[in-house]
Amino acid sequence: MVLAHISEVAAHAEQVVSVRGWLAGRRSSGKLLFLQVRDGTGTMQCTAFRPSLPPEVFEQAKHLPQESSLVVTGKVNPDDRAPGGYELQIEEIAFVSSAEEYPITPKEHGTAFLLDRRHLWLRSSRQHAIMRTRASVVRACRSYFDDRNFTLIDAPIFTPAACEGTTTLFGVDYFGDRVFLTQSGQLYMEAGAMAFGKVYCLGPTFRAEKSKTRRHLTEFWMIEPEVAYLDLAGDMDLAEDFVVSVVARVLEERREELELLGRDIGALESVQKPFPRITYGEAVETLRSMGHEHEWGDDFGAEDETVLASRYDRPVMVHRYPGAAKAFYMKNDPEDPKLALCVDVLAPEGYGEIIGGGQREDDLDVLRAKIEEHGLPTDPFEWYLDLRRYGSVPHAGFGMGIERMVAWLCGIHHVRETIPFPRMLERTTP
Ligand code: 4AD
Ligand code: MG
């Protein structure tokens, strides 16, 4: 028996192969039975002609419930009308497991219904397209840094200290001690950068986000590069080059999937250098000129980001936010110490912030004072302060949320569909 994956049947044209999969759909007309078989790599139409199968096999196939598993053997016939260009002319069917009545039908289902059945929903062609795109995004992100001599340094998940403020921390009982699920690998990447120069991590991060928005998960994946001797301008160059490269790679690998999702490919093709760069101050002016009141000093909300980014056909980089609105580790702008040397990259088409980063405070005393100003306990940060005690250098980095990137690239409204098993305020199952 020659086994074949549906994505590779072209190599077996006119040969007899066996395809192992699940029944995605079926219909019959007279002596003909059409089975849509899905094997994970694709879906193929398999045609049975009544006289060529034992009667009981034909009957069983004719009534086989959706998602039953089966192995079909037959000849691979080129057929212009078949999706994929080939159909299988069935000679034999082995039934593996007959499915119970499948809850997900072609009719419209609500999102809550589908999310409750996420383990099954993942079998649909739309979810396949999203997950394959996600896999390509992750591969493109990793290759970008691997190919440029960054060293992968995995950050821990259990951490003693807050990186992104204390309001979104998940506490964990750790043998009687209280530790936290990591909000960001950044502080560890800073240690990595002092040891290896250019490093990155990619892993799950956690935030106790109490609000329900289309951009927030409580568990999401982030890729975080960190580079020694890099300043804010260099960090923006890196972020820009990285985003352009990832978008290009995904367009190359996943055009078919993006088309299935109905994505406007042209909008992604315009993601080229240079990205516009505006200061926080200019962004506030812009918002006001567009009739959106904004208090100088406040961080931007989702709505502000959407409005700002809608002015451009590619991501916009907003830099130098007021330090008071940002995390403790950011370096003040020597030209105007009210401002932080930070950058947010905002995606167009309403997707908002996909990257946050900047230059880090590298002076021991200033950093210690900032930790105290933010009301953080200094003890858990002593190791971090060591990085400023032993050969401190200017350094910078950023974090990009994988799900935000996938949502934008796929043109999906809510990030919940961009991760296999989303975790949100009111969802920790399945
Ligand atoms: O802007 P954030 O909070 O930055 C940091 O965590 C830095 N320590 C990163 C660094 O400099 N190494 O988060 C970075 C990115 C955001 O731009 C967004 O893409 C994503 O992480 N993100 C989330 N994605 C989904 N759900 C959430 N709750 C997210 N919070 C942040
Ligand atoms: Mg941010």
Side-chain angles (χ1 to χ4, degrees):
M1 174 161 92
V2 178
L3 290 174
H5 285 299
I6 291 172
S7 61
E8 293 154 4
V9 289
H12 298 278
E14 313 288 352
Q15 292 169 18
V16 173
V17 300
S18 296
V19 169
R20 301 184 292 186
W22 295 263
L23 185 68
R26 62 169 157 71
R27 68 192 165 82
S28 52
S29 120
K31 287 198 168 85
L32 284 175
L33 176 65
F34 302 97
L35 304 180
Q36 305 299 324
V37 175
R38 168 183 68 75
D39 77 342
T41 73
T43 303
M44 187 173 194
Q45 173 155 289
C46 305
T47 312
F49 184 47
R50 186 186 283 277
S52 62
L53 287 180
E56 68 285 0
V57 172
F58 190 87
E59 273 315 297
Q60 190 174 348
K62 201 171 158 185
H63 298 103
L64 199 62
Q66 187 186 342
E67 290 306 320
S68 294
S69 43
L70 72 174
V71 182
V72 287
T73 301
K75 197 168 139 211
V76 176
N77 279 341
D79 183 343
D80 290 343
R81 291 159 306 173
Y86 293 90
E87 70 163 30
L88 198 79
Q89 191 185 323
I90 302 178
E91 295 177 1
E92 215 179 299
I93 303 177
F95 301 101
V96 179
S97 173
S98 181
E100 295 179 19
E101 195 182 334
Y102 196 58
I104 302 178
T105 60
K107 73 163 201 222
E108 285 278 307
H109 294 290
T111 310
F113 178 93
L114 291 168
L115 283 173
D116 283 342
R117 291 157 188 80
R118 183 64 172 164
H119 49 292
L120 303 176
W121 190 20
L122 284 174
R123 301 179 184 196
S124 79
S125 56
R126 207 181 123 81
Q127 299 307 315
H128 273 205
I130 301 169
M131 288 308 130
R132 289 215 173 90
T133 304
R134 177 186 172 100
S136 284
V137 166
V138 169
R139 183 164 47 232
C141 288
R142 297 197 95 109
S143 312
Y144 181 87
F145 294 116
D146 290 341
D147 294 347
R148 287 162 181 77
N149 279 319
F150 282 66
T151 302
L152 171 71
I153 298 290
D154 300 307
I157 305 289
F158 290 132
T159 58
C163 180
E164 296 299 325
T166 50
T167 57
T168 61
L169 281 174
F170 278 116
V172 178
D173 174 68
Y174 195 82
F175 305 114
D177 277 341
R178 190 169 161 77
V179 301
F180 308 103
L181 296 180
T182 186
Q183 297 168 308
S184 157
Q186 180 195 319
L187 308 185
Y188 298 94
M189 291 309 98
E190 292 184 54
M194 298 307 130
F196 297 89
K198 300 199 286 184
V199 297
Y200 78 97
C201 63
L202 169 63
T205 47
F206 306 85
R207 309 247 175 124
E209 304 278 3
K210 286 166 203 93
S211 59
K212 291 197 245 178
T213 84
R214 67 191 190 92
R215 296 177 187 174
H216 289 93
L217 297 165
T218 52
E219 180 180 307
F220 62 98
W221 287 64
M222 186 157 46
I223 185 146
E224 299 180 85
E226 192 73 27
V227 182
Y229 293 103
L230 189 71
D231 62 6
L232 176 64
D235 198 34
M236 292 202 268
D237 292 343
L238 181 67
E240 178 185 65
D241 192 59
F242 169 68
V243 170
V244 167
S245 158
V246 170
V247 172
R249 175 93 180 254
V250 172
L251 276 175
E252 204 177 288
E253 287 182 10
R254 296 296 168 207
R255 188 169 286 263
E256 208 178 295
E257 282 78 4
L258 296 175
E259 277 166 3
L260 184 144
L261 293 166
R263 184 65 170 104
D264 173 2
I265 307 270
L268 295 178
E269 283 170 340
S270 50
V271 179
Q272 302 293 342
K273 289 191 218 180
F275 293 174
R277 300 180 186 197
I278 60 173
T279 63
Y280 168 86
E282 287 163 346
V284 170
E285 286 307 311
T286 304
L287 282 174
R288 286 183 182 157
S289 74
M290 293 171 81
H292 297 266
E293 238 349 279
H294 192 89
E295 189 75 33
W296 195 97
D298 288 353
D299 205 347
F300 296 128
E303 179 58 27
D304 304 314
E305 290 179 0
T306 297
V307 170
L308 283 170
S310 70
R311 297 167 48 88
Y312 309 97
D313 67 345
R314 59 198 72 195
V316 52
M317 302 207 266
V318 183
H319 57 97
R320 293 180 167 80
Y321 286 64
K326 292 288 180 183
F328 75 91
Y329 51 71
M330 293 193 177
K331 188 172 176 63
N332 292 340
D333 185 353
E335 313 259 299
D336 182 352
K338 286 192 305 302
L339 304 178
L341 292 176
C342 65
V343 61
D344 276 4
V345 180
L346 312 181
E349 303 172 87
Y351 287 92
E353 181 193 334
I354 50 171
I355 285 181
Q359 196 173 330
R360 322 304 188 186
E361 182 51 67
D362 46 25
D363 181 273
L364 176 64
D365 296 326
V366 177
L367 185 57
R368 194 191 284 116
K370 284 192 164 192
I371 291 173
E372 284 165 12
E373 265 168 46
H374 276 77
L376 295 165
T378 40
D379 261 11
F381 290 101
E382 281 306 323
W383 70 268
Y384 181 63
L385 291 169
D386 268 355
L387 306 175
R388 278 64 177 170
R389 290 187 182 104
Y390 304 107
S392 188
V393 301
H395 61 288
F398 62 81
M400 187 192 80
I402 298 293
E403 292 75 18
R404 298 255 184 109
M405 185 71 171
V406 175
W408 169 45
L409 293 183
C410 289
I412 287 181
H413 184 71
H414 198 299
V415 289
R416 65 192 164 204
E417 275 187 72
T418 64
I419 185 164
F421 295 96
R423 299 291 177 247
M424 295 173 287
L425 180 60
E426 282 161 348
R427 179 165 299 276
T428 48
T429 57

